Amino acid sequence: MGIKYSSKINKIRTFALSLIFVGIFVMYIGIFFRTSPLVMTLFMILGLLFIIASTVVYFWIGTLSTRAVQVVCPSCGKVTKMLGRVDLCMFCSEPLTLDPELEGKEFDEKYNRKKRKS
């Protein structure tokens, strides 16, 4: 079984959504410390910080998404956004590239890493 890839934009959005759930869970843990207002407040503030971090990540990916290259997926025909040299279609996970050197090669996220100059 191979590695399951998804588009970069979807990965970042999933991370931001998970920050919201973690924040709510941390706040929920704070309820169990009602007898200690200091500890309860600490958990509530920590949960709020997770939710604020999620808002920042959503804002960042939103601005990044507006600058992403829009391409038509050859497989499903839908317009999708690409970040980097290689990415996957947001709808059908078809490997996409705009780099002629990578045309026909097997998909690997390593192609997006910057090459170190020796």
Side-chain angles (χ1 to χ4, degrees):
M1 194 171 251
I3 299 172
K4 175 115 169 63
Y5 293 108
S6 73
S7 74
K8 284 184 230 42
I9 292 175
N10 284 345
K11 279 183 188 175
I12 297 170
R13 286 178 179 157
T14 302
F15 173 70
L17 182 62
S18 66
L19 281 176
I20 289 175
F21 286 120
V22 168
I24 291 171
F25 182 71
V26 168
M27 288 178 168
Y28 185 74
I29 291 172
I31 291 174
F32 293 111
F33 295 98
R34 281 181 280 196
T35 56
S36 174
L38 182 65
V39 176
M40 184 180 83
T41 304
L42 187 69
F43 274 99
M44 293 296 173
I45 290 172
L46 188 62
L48 182 65
L49 289 176
F50 276 109
I51 292 173
I52 290 171
S54 170
T55 305
V56 170
V57 171
Y58 269 121
F59 181 77
W60 172 69
I61 193 60
T63 57
L64 196 63
S65 180
T66 60
R67 294 184 282 143
V69 178
Q70 290 188 353
V71 296
V72 176
C73 176
S75 181
C76 67
K78 295 182 180 177
V79 177
T80 187
K81 295 180 180 183
M82 254 185 79
L83 293 175
R85 293 174 67 195
V86 294
D87 203 354
L88 296 175
C89 174
M90 296 170 83
F91 305 101
C92 68
S93 297
E94 174 78 19
L96 303 170
T97 183
L98 295 175
D99 192 342
E101 295 175 12
L102 300 176
E103 199 73 34
K105 291 186 178 180
E106 187 161 340
F107 180 81
D108 193 349
E109 289 183 338
K110 292 178 189 172
Y111 293 134
N112 286 324
R113 295 193 184 115
K114 294 186 179 184
K115 296 177 185 173
R116 293 184 183 172
K117 295 179 182 177
S118 301

